[in-house]
Every structure is written in structure tokens, then in C-alpha cells.
Amino acid sequence: MQHFLSFGEILFDCFPDGRHVLGGAPLNVAFHMACLGLSSSIISAVGDDELGRQAMKEVEDAGIDTSFISVLEDARTGRADIVLESGDARYTFNAPAAWDRIPLPDRLPKHVDCIYFGSLAQRDGCSRNTLKELLDTVKADLVFFDVNMRKDFYNAGIIEWSLRKADVLKVNQDELPVICRLLDKDKEELVKDYGLKILLVTRGADGSQAVLADGTIHHQKPSAHEVVDSVGAGDSLSAGFIASLLRNGDPARALRVGTMLADYVITRRGATPRYSPALLEQLGKEGIL
């Protein structure tokens, strides 16, 4: 069984109607990877509080390995208060949160098939240093960097260091020009200068594209669906893309599978809905399950 290892924030998405839904991009991706049949683990931290206990139970119930999640007595479990504007989500994060203080677990695998990390969990030096130790300690066949440009929780140094560690960079259409301006490069130079294998760009209703190191560009349009909410759509696309790429090695097919999963998620509330029999059948036809 292939082993997926995620690093970063565990938090609750708190909606205007009072719902509290467990989330955070690294956890959302880990959830989908478990659903897609991979051995899925996450390195993170929660507080020794009610939300932390709820998080640990839900993570375990989702089939995700909890052995690398630290419970911190002096920190609060993360939360993101969400406002939905025309279907798009706007986030306000509590700070500091437990995921700002993620320690490196004592026992780690020597090798995994994929390590996933983002930019948000690097907003504090403590978790950022843990990530650096992790990438120096565990060998991965694929390193996937998912940019999440929230407020001012990023800078050129964080982005550049992350790119040098990554095989795949995933951004949305709004984040890409920001990165290009920060680093004074166009998207082709990002791929070439940082040795990326793939630049994955999501563009909402216009679909997604995968730019390969040899200059090949694959495009994928989404299916026509009414959007219930967009929370977690990009995370599900990342998971489908990674799982398919690891199993089939075909970026075009991986983009199709990621889009299929995102198409499903946007028609449900929350980032981690239960998979329907129809979706499972589609994934099986794509060789994922």
C-alpha cells in the first residue's frame, strides 16, 4: 500500500450558521487520500481542549493515522471562521494555534510515496523548522507544495524555499501572479529554475492545467454543476491528482481524476463529504480504487 504523509494545520472551519467542520488543507487532502485507498498520515498538533479531542476522534474515524498528531497543553486547537461570498470562502484564523507549534514526531518512516505541505503552516518559525527537519529526515518519491496565500502568512523566502523542495507546485489563478511578482519570474521560469516536475494551476469554472517540465500543458474543464460551496474543492483536486499520479504516472489522467473529485465535492457541503456509490464507480474505472 502506498503511504501518503501530510504536514500542517488541523483546524475547524466555522461557518456563519454555527456549524463547526473539521478541516485545514493538509487534513482535507489526507482525508481524501484515505478514501482513495492510500495509507494516510498527518503530522500536526491540536490543543488539549474540547475541539482538540473532537478533532482526534474525527481524524481517527476518517481512517487517517493519528500517531503523528501532538496534543499540546498550552495551545488552542485551530479554527477558521468562514464567510461565504457568492460561493467563495473568506477565512479568519485564530492565532497562535496549536498547528503553529507542531513538533517533529519521535518515530517517522524512512520513506513515503508522497509528502504534502503548504505555506499556511509555515507562518510560525516553530512549525516551519519542523517541516525543514521532516523533509531532511524522510525520503519521498513525490513532494507536493500547495500554496495557500492567506492574509500576510507568507513571504518570498517561504515560497522560494518551498519551491526548491517541491516536485509539484499547486496554485490557484489568483496566487500564481502573486508568486511570479514575488520571485520576479514567469510561470515557465518557476518550473525551470526550481526544477519542478509539474505546475498545477486551478482556475475555478475555467478548469485546471498542468504545466510539465518539458513545456507540455494539459487542460481539464470541470463538469457543469451547481456549486453548493467551494470549501475544500482545491484540496480534493490535489488528492485526486496525487493518487492518480502515484498509481498511473500520467499527469493528464491525474488532472482528469482530480477534477472529477473536485466536481463532486463542490456539490456537497464541507470539504470532506462521504463518497457516493456513483463516484466510487467512476474512480474505479480510472484505476484509482
Side-chain angles (χ1 to χ4, degrees):
M1 180 180 288
Q2 291 168 310
H3 189 178
F4 171 82
L5 181 59
S6 190
F7 176 92
E9 63 273 13
I10 288 178
L11 51 81
F12 280 86
D13 291 327
C14 302
F15 291 85
D17 62 5
R19 289 182 299 123
H20 289 59
V21 180
L22 188 63
L27 181 60
N28 292 341
V29 177
F31 167 89
H32 287 291
M33 298 305 277
C35 292
L36 294 168
L38 284 80
S39 173
S40 184
S41 304
I42 183 169
I43 298 175
S44 189
V46 297
D48 185 12
D49 52 27
E50 184 177 348
L51 284 180
R53 288 183 284 276
Q54 181 180 342
M56 292 294 282
K57 183 180 185 305
E58 291 192 28
V59 173
E60 185 175 6
D61 289 347
I64 302 167
D65 177 22
T66 62
S67 61
F68 301 143
I69 302 174
S70 298
V71 179
L72 307 181
E73 294 182 357
D74 58 346
R76 295 177 300 160
T77 299
R79 59 180 289 153
D81 292 291
I82 295 177
V83 175
L84 297 177
E85 299 176 356
S86 301
D88 293 324
R90 300 289 181 265
Y91 302 81
T92 300
F93 299 90
N94 67 323
W99 54 266
D100 288 315
R101 300 289 187 269
I102 302 172
L104 190 71
D106 292 332
R107 295 183 180 180
L108 286 168
K110 294 181 179 179
H111 173 268
V112 296
D113 293 278
C114 179
I115 292 178
Y116 168 102
F117 71 94
S119 55
L120 181 57
Q122 298 184 62
R123 72 178 184 177
D124 187 278
C126 180
S127 291
R128 188 163 62 248
N129 288 335
T130 299
L131 175 61
K132 292 178 181 179
E133 290 184 72
L134 170 65
L135 294 177
D136 288 340
T137 302
V138 180
K139 177 177 173 56
D141 295 334
L142 184 74
V143 178
F144 191 101
F145 172 42
D146 188 356
V147 172
N148 284 289
M149 289 187 163
R150 308 298 188 200
K151 297 189 174 181
D152 57 351
F153 301 147
Y154 65 92
N155 57 49
I158 287 174
I159 300 299
E160 185 162 36
W161 177 85
S162 300
L163 286 172
R164 294 193 184 283
K165 294 292 184 179
D167 299 307
V168 180
L169 166 65
K170 181 246 179 179
V171 296
N172 64 37
Q173 61 185 351
D174 298 321
E175 294 162 338
L176 182 57
V178 176
I179 292 176
C180 289
R181 286 196 300 271
L182 274 176
L183 303 179
D184 193 24
K185 297 179 186 294
D186 58 30
K187 68 179 182 181
E188 289 78 13
E189 290 173 323
L190 287 178
V191 175
K192 179 181 177 181
D193 292 356
Y194 295 105
L196 297 173
K197 295 178 181 177
I198 302 172
L199 169 62
L200 181 60
V201 185
T202 61
R203 302 182 298 171
D206 292 327
S208 303
Q209 65 175 206
V211 181
L212 309 189
D214 64 3
T216 301
I217 300 177
H218 298 290
H219 298 268
Q220 184 66 46
K221 282 280 191 179
S223 300
H225 291 296
E226 180 181 353
V227 178
V228 174
D229 77 57
S230 63
V231 176
D235 302 333
S236 58
L237 188 145
S238 294
F241 185 89
I242 294 168
S244 181
L245 190 66
L246 291 177
R247 289 181 169 159
N248 302 306
D250 180 355
R253 187 175 187 179
L255 192 62
R256 183 170 70 246
V257 172
T259 301
M260 176 195 305
L261 196 51
D263 285 346
Y264 177 81
V265 168
I266 63 173
T267 65
R268 271 73 178 171
R269 286 201 175 276
T272 54
R274 184 183 298 274
Y275 286 14
S276 68
L279 176 63
L280 293 171
E281 182 179 357
Q282 285 182 293
L283 291 169
K285 290 179 179 179
E286 289 289 349
I288 304 304
L289 298 174

